Amino acid sequence: MPLQRKPLNAMLIIAAGLCAFAPDAGADAVPTGLPPSPTFGIVKFSQPMPRFDVLPRNAVSTLVPAPMAQSNQTQQPVDPALGGGSGPIEGRPPGAIWAHQEFARFPPKIAVEVSQEGAKVNTTYNPGVPASLNSGINPATPFPPRFHPNLPDQGPLALWTFNGTLPPKLVIGRYAEPILFREHNKLPADKNANGGFGLHSISTHEHNGHHGAENDGFTGAYFWPNQFYDYHWPIVLAGWRSINTGATDPKAATPDDAGGKTNIAGDWHETMSTHWFHDHMFSFTSQNVYKGMAGMFNIYSALDRGNEAINDGVNLQLPSGTAKSFANLDYDVNIMLADKAWDANGQLAFNIFDFDGFLGDRMTVNLVDNPFFEVEARKYRFRILNAAVSRFFKLALSDGSPMIQIANDGNLLPHPVPLTELDELGIAERYDVVIDFSRYAVGSKVWWVNLTQQTNGKKPDTDLSLSEALQGNNNDPVVGKFLEFRIVRTPAAADVSKVPDPLIPNPTLPAVTRTRTFEFASGGSQSTLPAAPGSKSEITAFVGPWGIKTDDQGDTLDADYGRITAGPGYGTRETWTLKNGGGGWDHPIHIHFEEGQVLNRDGDPNAVPAWEKGRKDVYRLRPGGSVTITMQFRDFGGMFMEHCHNTVHEDNAMLMRWEIDNNGAPFLRPLPTPISTPQGVTFVPPDDILPTAF
Ligand SMILES: [Cu+2]
């Protein structure tokens, strides 16, 4: 019988004396479970949508102290609120096991230095485009931390973001240009100084980076206020150790600064494009991401170089711009969708008591409420990210005209797919679409419409027809129009962008060595609590309603990052079936590190839609459904995760650890579990290894 712990979230808020709301309070609204967010007189589409804030790309020499392969264990005093004494300046676990893999082979060339801190005014906003391409926003005007001009600024305890500011941040990267992403934790040392939700220890996941596990934002490798963590993102093509090792394939290449390209090792079919990064703190991911800890990462390559004019036989010339050799953002627009709620004072609010999931009642795009966006009458690319906690979206244009989907998650599709309605977009999924606004008259408007009605965190209620969604009387306030496109002018230069077919075909795969099955269900139990003497399960294990059953054996288990659930062999390919344990909910399942190909849905290869025929990293199971995928395990090792990306499900125990080793070398087998404290990280042996793991 597992120990039934009171959820940590609830313990924290009760300890903090912040019972601003309680479950079953009576006056709660659909869908938040909180009093409805006051409107403050907001009229939809009355403010511009800001483009992302592009983070500076600095020389690595600007980093002090210089980055090192192993964690920097230089000691500093620890705040008494964190137990006092002394601890390391870097929170990355120490020693060889957590050293950056291949740090000497892929030394960092670009430094991106950020902080995680409370809300403040942005005086360094860099949209990467002129005001004419940013709906008239003057970047020299200080950008306040607020969702709408009618609302007050968010306080430093309500909103925690990268650099403490809005708009959300964008990292620009390209293949073969390794980035050292140094993140400073400047959150309050007092864990109760959180505005009612969120936790000050953090771990940042570069969502589906093909990097060593020490840079993956492992849920147990979190760091503390006044520490930093160096994440090394080598940005290499998967397969670089064994495929095209001589860098002779012209399609495996990265843009240079003069319109040319440089060949690189690896499989060009594994080229990735649209990533995001977000907090992955064990059992607090939902609260921390909701609080603002999320950004996007555009990865450029010779294929997807962000210059629509260069015609070199490799560049796909997708909508972007022409001024720079790569990474033109003029017509390549990052979109972050997130539903939010706020309290009577206009401060961000979250219901920590609903373990089915949390839904907001206000729609934000790039973290502002229901904005407009000015476009030219030409083709645009939109990189759409679902950064919600528990909400699914389904997008259509209000006139029912088509969009062309070109990418799913991080990857360009084998073929572009024209669609008048996109599929449901699960939490953490990304769809890149091209919209051709040349079909509209200058002066006209068209809207993005959300067709998915969802009133609790378990799953969408239904997908509405466009006419139903446009009626404006839905029980779910996030149904309907949420972004107004204003077609404001014809472009000054001809649109030379293309949507070619094919885009990126799938890689060829080696033979399958084994299969595994994971069932995602309610009714989870915890096998490692109460903790055995000497184990740290009271830190690594959580008790919650959700869990995962592995290989049809034993119980549906709650998360314990000290437990090894799967250990695929290095250099092998496996097939994993992800099953939904019931019809009453849906789960978008994320598998870290490796891109998967969907082989079938519910056993039927013909049930895989055209837009899921590329590579993916999040798989919506659909109610009662199953998805069978296949992945290769290669290039790097260490401990990774698989979990539901309804982050409330994830935090309430629907998460497991898997790891890649090399039969003991160069990685230990099994890997020890890091136990993070402000005074330093120690290691303990795994507290559980499932019988089918290795
Ligand atoms: Cu789920």
Side-chain angles (χ1 to χ4, degrees):
M1 178 69 187
L3 175 70
Q4 290 300 320
R5 287 196 313 179
K6 186 186 290 284
L8 185 59
N9 306 349
M11 277 201 301
L12 265 184
I13 198 151
I14 290 162
L18 290 170
C19 276
F21 33 77
D24 309 317
D28 302 344
V30 171
T32 60
L34 304 172
S37 302
T39 64
F40 288 84
I42 291 174
V43 175
K44 277 188 172 187
F45 318 124
S46 59
Q47 67 175 334
M49 179 193 83
R51 307 289 296 263
F52 273 54
D53 187 7
V54 180
L55 287 169
R57 290 157 46 88
N58 298 323
V60 177
S61 60
T62 62
L63 294 173
V64 179
M68 307 192 303
Q70 290 192 16
S71 174
N72 190 329
Q73 296 290 294
T74 301
Q75 297 289 299
Q76 64 181 354
V78 174
D79 192 293
L82 292 166
S86 69
I89 59 173
E90 182 174 3
R92 179 163 47 115
I97 300 171
W98 283 76
H100 298 308
Q101 293 167 56
E102 302 293 354
F103 194 64
R105 189 193 301 258
F106 303 120
K109 294 180 180 171
I110 298 288
V112 175
E113 193 165 18
V114 297
S115 60
Q116 191 58 249
E117 57 183 299
K120 62 184 184 184
V121 172
N122 187 351
T123 57
T124 60
Y125 176 32
N126 173 24
V129 294
S132 60
L133 294 169
N134 197 17
S135 303
I137 296 172
N138 177 0
T141 304
F143 199 99
R146 66 189 184 199
F147 302 123
H148 190 277
N150 287 26
L151 283 168
D153 284 4
Q154 294 299 303
L157 300 187
L159 185 72
W160 291 348
T161 68
F162 287 94
N163 292 347
T165 61
L166 299 179
K169 302 297 175 267
L170 175 64
V171 173
I172 298 289
R174 61 180 151 175
Y175 274 93
E177 188 176 65
I179 290 175
L180 198 295
F181 185 88
R182 174 170 291 178
E183 182 173 358
H184 299 271
N185 186 335
K186 295 184 180 177
L187 296 173
D190 176 2
K191 71 179 180 189
N192 295 322
N194 67 349
F197 61 95
L199 193 63
H200 62 177
S201 50
I202 56 178
S203 178
T204 296
H205 172 48
E206 199 278 89
H207 183 120
N208 237 43
H210 195 69
H211 319 318
E214 64 282 358
N215 304 300
D216 191 55
F218 183 69
T219 195
Y222 43 89
F223 61 112
W224 299 84
N226 204 34
Q227 289 186 321
F228 69 87
Y229 194 120
D230 276 354
Y231 295 97
H232 173 228
W233 300 346
I235 322 180
V236 289
L237 284 175
W240 61 271
R241 287 186 192 269
S242 57
I243 296 172
N244 182 34
T245 54
T248 53
D249 190 325
K251 291 195 172 185
T254 192
D256 66 19
D257 292 323
K261 59 189 181 66
T262 305
N263 286 359
I264 61 174
D267 187 348
W268 66 270
H269 304 87
E270 299 280 6
T271 304
M272 293 197 275
S273 297
T274 303
H275 279 203
W276 69 302
F277 51 95
H278 61 84
D279 180 65
H280 219 304
M281 177 65 208
F282 187 59
S283 81
F284 282 86
T285 297
S286 58
Q287 299 176 36
N288 283 356
V289 173
Y290 180 77
K291 227 168 158 68
M293 298 188 198
M296 290 186 80
F297 178 29
N298 292 355
I299 306 176
Y300 294 93
S301 58
L303 288 156
D304 188 7
R305 75 178 294 151
N307 181 308
E308 65 194 35
I310 293 174
N311 183 0
D312 59 7
V314 173
N315 181 24
L316 295 167
Q317 296 184 259
L318 296 165
S320 44
T322 60
K324 293 186 289 187
S325 175
F326 76 105
N328 290 287
L329 296 173
D330 302 22
Y331 308 108
D332 179 353
V333 183
N334 290 83
I335 298 285
M336 178 186 283
L337 305 180
D339 51 331
K340 300 288 183 189
W342 45 74
D343 63 18
N345 298 316
Q347 298 296 300
L348 201 57
F350 188 88
N351 181 353
I352 62 173
F353 293 103
D354 190 339
F355 304 135
D356 287 344
F358 174 72
L359 301 176
D361 57 2
R362 299 297 305 194
M363 181 63 168
T364 68
V365 185
N366 295 357
L367 293 182
V368 302
D369 186 280
N370 295 289
F372 66 82
F373 183 57
E374 295 180 354
V375 296
E376 297 178 352
R378 55 152 288 157
K379 292 194 289 299
Y380 278 70
R381 173 188 189 164
F382 295 96
R383 304 178 192 239
I384 309 166
L385 163 68
N386 181 347
V389 170
S390 303
R391 185 181 281 281
F392 296 60
F393 301 102
K394 184 177 175 68
L395 271 56
L397 286 166
S398 58
D399 64 347
S401 63
M403 299 173 272
I404 303 173
Q405 186 168 349
I406 59 170
N408 194 324
D409 293 344
N411 305 296
L412 289 171
L413 289 164
H415 305 284
V417 185
L419 293 166
T420 54
E421 295 177 358
L422 305 183
D423 197 355
E424 285 180 358
L425 182 71
I427 302 98
E429 285 190 294
R430 286 132 287 145
Y431 293 161
D432 289 21
V433 301
V434 172
I435 299 176
D436 189 349
F437 295 102
S438 70
R439 62 182 175 239
Y440 301 107
V442 169
S444 62
K445 297 175 181 175
V446 66
W447 292 264
W448 258 342
V449 180
N450 174 32
L451 305 179
T452 295
Q453 174 190 311
Q454 189 170 354
T455 50
N456 72 58
K458 292 181 177 181
K459 66 176 175 66
D461 306 338
T462 186
D463 291 326
L464 303 166
S465 70
L466 181 59
S467 62
E468 288 170 330
L470 287 170
Q471 282 169 10
N473 56 356
N474 196 277
N475 194 28
D476 174 4
V478 175
V479 162
K481 296 175 180 176
F482 64 88
L483 178 67
E484 178 175 279
F485 293 105
R486 299 179 178 177
I487 296 86
V488 294
R489 61 180 172 270
T490 54
D495 176 2
V496 296
S497 71
K498 296 176 180 170
V499 183
D501 187 2
L503 290 162
I504 298 184
N506 283 331
T508 306
L509 300 172
V512 172
T513 54
R514 70 179 283 176
T515 61
R516 301 176 194 267
T517 301
F518 304 97
E519 181 174 332
F520 297 81
S522 60
S525 62
Q526 185 53 276
S527 63
T528 51
L529 290 175
S535 89
K536 294 285 187 185
S537 303
E538 71 281 359
I539 292 172
T540 64
F542 199 78
V543 172
W546 304 101
I548 303 171
K549 183 181 211 171
T550 300
D551 292 334
D552 298 317
Q553 295 186 21
D555 294 331
T556 297
L557 290 175
D558 283 348
D560 178 353
Y561 66 81
R563 176 190 298 120
I564 302 172
T565 297
Y570 183 86
T572 68
R573 173 188 166 203
E574 298 193 352
T575 293
W576 292 8
T577 294
L578 316 174
K579 294 197 291 193
N580 193 336
W585 45 81
D586 198 355
H587 304 294
I589 303 303
H590 174 41
I591 301 173
H592 286 219
F593 182 58
E594 296 288 4
E595 303 304 291
Q597 293 180 39
V598 180
L599 299 179
N600 66 63
R601 277 190 170 275
D602 305 326
D604 181 2
N606 297 318
V608 182
W611 55 87
E612 287 187 345
K613 288 186 172 168
R615 297 154 291 141
K616 277 184 70 57
D617 58 55
V618 179
Y619 313 93
R620 268 171 299 108
L621 304 187
R622 299 180 184 166
S626 74
V627 178
T628 299
I629 65 161
T630 190
M631 294 176 294
Q632 302 182 73
F633 302 92
R634 53 184 175 172
D635 298 330
F636 297 101
M639 57 183 68
F640 299 96
M641 289 167 283
E642 172 182 338
H643 60 88
C644 184
H645 225 299
N646 177 331
T647 46
V648 173
H649 297 183
E650 168 187 347
D651 287 344
N652 289 284
M654 193 176 260
L655 174 145
M656 65 81 154
R657 158 185 166 187
W658 60 274
E659 60 190 51
I660 306 177
D661 62 63
N662 192 15
N663 293 328
F667 314 111
L668 293 177
R669 172 192 173 123
L671 285 163
T673 304
I675 304 295
S676 179
T677 76
Q679 288 74 26
V681 180
T682 56
F683 294 99
V684 296
D687 58 9
D688 192 12
I689 300 175
L690 292 192
T692 57
F694 289 107

Short mmCIF file of all heavy atoms in Angstrom, two decimals, residues 296-320:
data_model
loop_
_atom_site.label_atom_id
_atom_site.label_comp_id
_atom_site.label_asym_id
_atom_site.label_seq_id
_atom_site.Cartn_x
_atom_site.Cartn_y
_atom_site.Cartn_z
N MET A 296 10.94 30.07 -27.53
CA MET A 296 11.06 29.25 -28.74
C MET A 296 12.47 29.33 -29.30
O MET A 296 13.24 30.24 -28.99
CB MET A 296 10.02 29.67 -29.79
CG MET A 296 8.59 29.30 -29.40
SD MET A 296 7.34 29.63 -30.69
CE MET A 296 7.57 28.21 -31.78
N PHE A 297 12.80 28.35 -30.14
CA PHE A 297 14.15 28.16 -30.67
C PHE A 297 14.02 27.77 -32.14
O PHE A 297 13.51 26.70 -32.44
CB PHE A 297 14.84 27.06 -29.84
CG PHE A 297 16.23 26.69 -30.28
CD1 PHE A 297 17.08 27.60 -30.90
CD2 PHE A 297 16.73 25.41 -30.04
CE1 PHE A 297 18.37 27.23 -31.29
CE2 PHE A 297 18.01 25.04 -30.42
CZ PHE A 297 18.83 25.95 -31.05
N ASN A 298 14.40 28.67 -33.03
CA ASN A 298 14.39 28.36 -34.46
C ASN A 298 15.77 27.85 -34.86
O ASN A 298 16.77 28.53 -34.63
CB ASN A 298 14.08 29.61 -35.29
CG ASN A 298 12.66 30.11 -35.10
OD1 ASN A 298 11.86 29.49 -34.42
ND2 ASN A 298 12.37 31.24 -35.73
N ILE A 299 15.79 26.67 -35.47
CA ILE A 299 17.06 26.07 -35.89
C ILE A 299 17.14 26.17 -37.42
O ILE A 299 16.24 25.70 -38.12
CB ILE A 299 17.17 24.60 -35.46
CG1 ILE A 299 16.92 24.47 -33.96
CG2 ILE A 299 18.54 24.05 -35.82
CD1 ILE A 299 16.90 23.03 -33.47
N TYR A 300 18.20 26.78 -37.92
CA TYR A 300 18.34 26.98 -39.36
C TYR A 300 19.36 25.99 -39.94
O TYR A 300 20.30 25.56 -39.26
CB TYR A 300 18.75 28.42 -39.65
CG TYR A 300 17.63 29.38 -39.26
CD1 TYR A 300 17.59 29.96 -38.00
CD2 TYR A 300 16.57 29.61 -40.13
CE1 TYR A 300 16.54 30.79 -37.63
CE2 TYR A 300 15.52 30.44 -39.77
CZ TYR A 300 15.51 31.03 -38.51
OH TYR A 300 14.46 31.83 -38.16
N SER A 301 19.11 25.65 -41.19
CA SER A 301 19.92 24.66 -41.90
C SER A 301 20.01 25.11 -43.35
O SER A 301 19.34 26.07 -43.76
CB SER A 301 19.24 23.29 -41.82
OG SER A 301 17.93 23.37 -42.36
N ALA A 302 20.80 24.40 -44.15
CA ALA A 302 20.85 24.74 -45.57
C ALA A 302 19.50 24.50 -46.24
O ALA A 302 19.12 25.22 -47.17
CB ALA A 302 21.93 23.92 -46.27
N LEU A 303 18.74 23.52 -45.74
CA LEU A 303 17.41 23.24 -46.29
C LEU A 303 16.41 24.31 -45.88
O LEU A 303 15.61 24.78 -46.68
CB LEU A 303 16.92 21.87 -45.79
CG LEU A 303 17.61 20.65 -46.39
CD1 LEU A 303 17.49 19.47 -45.46
CD2 LEU A 303 16.99 20.32 -47.75
N ASP A 304 16.43 24.64 -44.60
CA ASP A 304 15.46 25.58 -44.01
C ASP A 304 16.27 26.74 -43.45
O ASP A 304 16.49 26.84 -42.25
CB ASP A 304 14.66 24.85 -42.92
CG ASP A 304 13.51 25.70 -42.40
OD1 ASP A 304 13.25 26.78 -42.96
OD2 ASP A 304 12.87 25.28 -41.41
N ARG A 305 16.71 27.63 -44.35
CA ARG A 305 17.72 28.60 -43.95
C ARG A 305 17.15 29.96 -43.59
O ARG A 305 17.87 30.85 -43.17
CB ARG A 305 18.82 28.72 -44.99
CG ARG A 305 18.49 29.48 -46.26
CD ARG A 305 19.72 29.54 -47.19
NE ARG A 305 20.81 30.32 -46.62
CZ ARG A 305 22.12 30.11 -46.88
NH1 ARG A 305 22.50 29.14 -47.69
NH2 ARG A 305 23.04 30.86 -46.34
N GLY A 306 15.86 30.15 -43.77
CA GLY A 306 15.32 31.45 -43.42
C GLY A 306 15.73 32.54 -44.38
O GLY A 306 15.86 33.71 -43.99
N ASN A 307 15.95 32.17 -45.63
CA ASN A 307 16.17 33.15 -46.70
C ASN A 307 15.43 32.61 -47.91
O ASN A 307 15.76 31.52 -48.40
CB ASN A 307 17.65 33.35 -46.99
CG ASN A 307 17.88 34.39 -48.10
OD1 ASN A 307 17.29 34.30 -49.18
ND2 ASN A 307 18.70 35.39 -47.82
N GLU A 308 14.43 33.34 -48.38
CA GLU A 308 13.56 32.80 -49.43
C GLU A 308 14.10 33.02 -50.83
O GLU A 308 13.55 32.49 -51.80
CB GLU A 308 12.15 33.42 -49.31
CG GLU A 308 12.10 34.92 -49.56
CD GLU A 308 10.78 35.54 -49.09
OE1 GLU A 308 10.23 35.09 -48.08
OE2 GLU A 308 10.31 36.48 -49.76
N ALA A 309 15.18 33.79 -50.96
CA ALA A 309 15.67 34.14 -52.30
C ALA A 309 16.82 33.25 -52.77
O ALA A 309 17.05 33.13 -53.97
CB ALA A 309 16.12 35.60 -52.33
N ILE A 310 17.56 32.66 -51.84
CA ILE A 310 18.75 31.90 -52.23
C ILE A 310 18.32 30.58 -52.89
O ILE A 310 17.68 29.74 -52.25
CB ILE A 310 19.66 31.64 -51.01
CG1 ILE A 310 20.25 32.96 -50.52
CG2 ILE A 310 20.76 30.64 -51.37
CD1 ILE A 310 21.05 32.86 -49.24
N ASN A 311 18.68 30.45 -54.17
CA ASN A 311 18.29 29.27 -54.94
C ASN A 311 19.55 28.48 -55.28
O ASN A 311 20.18 28.70 -56.31
CB ASN A 311 17.54 29.70 -56.21
CG ASN A 311 17.05 28.51 -57.01
OD1 ASN A 311 17.26 27.36 -56.63
ND2 ASN A 311 16.41 28.78 -58.13
N ASP A 312 19.93 27.58 -54.37
CA ASP A 312 21.18 26.84 -54.53
C ASP A 312 20.95 25.35 -54.73
O ASP A 312 21.87 24.54 -54.61
CB ASP A 312 22.09 27.07 -53.31
CG ASP A 312 21.43 26.63 -52.00
OD1 ASP A 312 20.34 26.02 -52.04
OD2 ASP A 312 22.01 26.89 -50.93
N GLY A 313 19.70 24.97 -55.01
CA GLY A 313 19.40 23.57 -55.23
C GLY A 313 19.15 22.79 -53.94
O GLY A 313 18.71 21.65 -53.99
N VAL A 314 19.42 23.39 -52.80
CA VAL A 314 19.18 22.74 -51.51
C VAL A 314 18.14 23.54 -50.72
O VAL A 314 17.17 22.99 -50.19
CB VAL A 314 20.49 22.60 -50.70
CG1 VAL A 314 20.20 22.09 -49.29
CG2 VAL A 314 21.45 21.66 -51.43
N ASN A 315 18.33 24.85 -50.64
CA ASN A 315 17.43 25.70 -49.86
C ASN A 315 15.99 25.58 -50.37
O ASN A 315 15.72 25.72 -51.56
CB ASN A 315 17.90 27.16 -49.97
CG ASN A 315 17.02 28.12 -49.18
OD1 ASN A 315 16.36 27.72 -48.22
ND2 ASN A 315 17.02 29.38 -49.60
N LEU A 316 15.06 25.33 -49.45
CA LEU A 316 13.65 25.14 -49.82
C LEU A 316 12.94 26.46 -50.07
O LEU A 316 11.80 26.47 -50.54
CB LEU A 316 12.94 24.34 -48.72
CG LEU A 316 13.45 22.90 -48.53
CD1 LEU A 316 12.91 22.30 -47.23
CD2 LEU A 316 13.06 22.03 -49.72
N GLN A 317 13.55 27.58 -49.74
CA GLN A 317 13.02 28.92 -50.03
C GLN A 317 11.65 29.16 -49.38
O GLN A 317 10.75 29.75 -49.99
CB GLN A 317 12.96 29.17 -51.54
CG GLN A 317 14.35 29.17 -52.20
CD GLN A 317 14.27 29.51 -53.69
OE1 GLN A 317 14.34 28.61 -54.53
NE2 GLN A 317 14.13 30.78 -54.00
N LEU A 318 11.51 28.69 -48.15
CA LEU A 318 10.25 28.90 -47.42
C LEU A 318 10.11 30.38 -47.05
O LEU A 318 11.10 31.11 -46.94
CB LEU A 318 10.24 28.02 -46.17
CG LEU A 318 10.25 26.51 -46.49
CD1 LEU A 318 10.60 25.69 -45.25
CD2 LEU A 318 8.90 26.08 -47.06
N PRO A 319 8.87 30.85 -46.86
CA PRO A 319 8.65 32.27 -46.57
C PRO A 319 9.47 32.73 -45.36
O PRO A 319 9.44 32.09 -44.30
CB PRO A 319 7.15 32.33 -46.26
CG PRO A 319 6.57 31.18 -47.00
CD PRO A 319 7.62 30.09 -46.96
N SER A 320 10.19 33.82 -45.52
CA SER A 320 11.08 34.29 -44.46
C SER A 320 11.51 35.74 -44.71
O SER A 320 11.15 36.64 -43.95
CB SER A 320 12.31 33.38 -44.34
OG SER A 320 12.85 33.06 -45.62
#
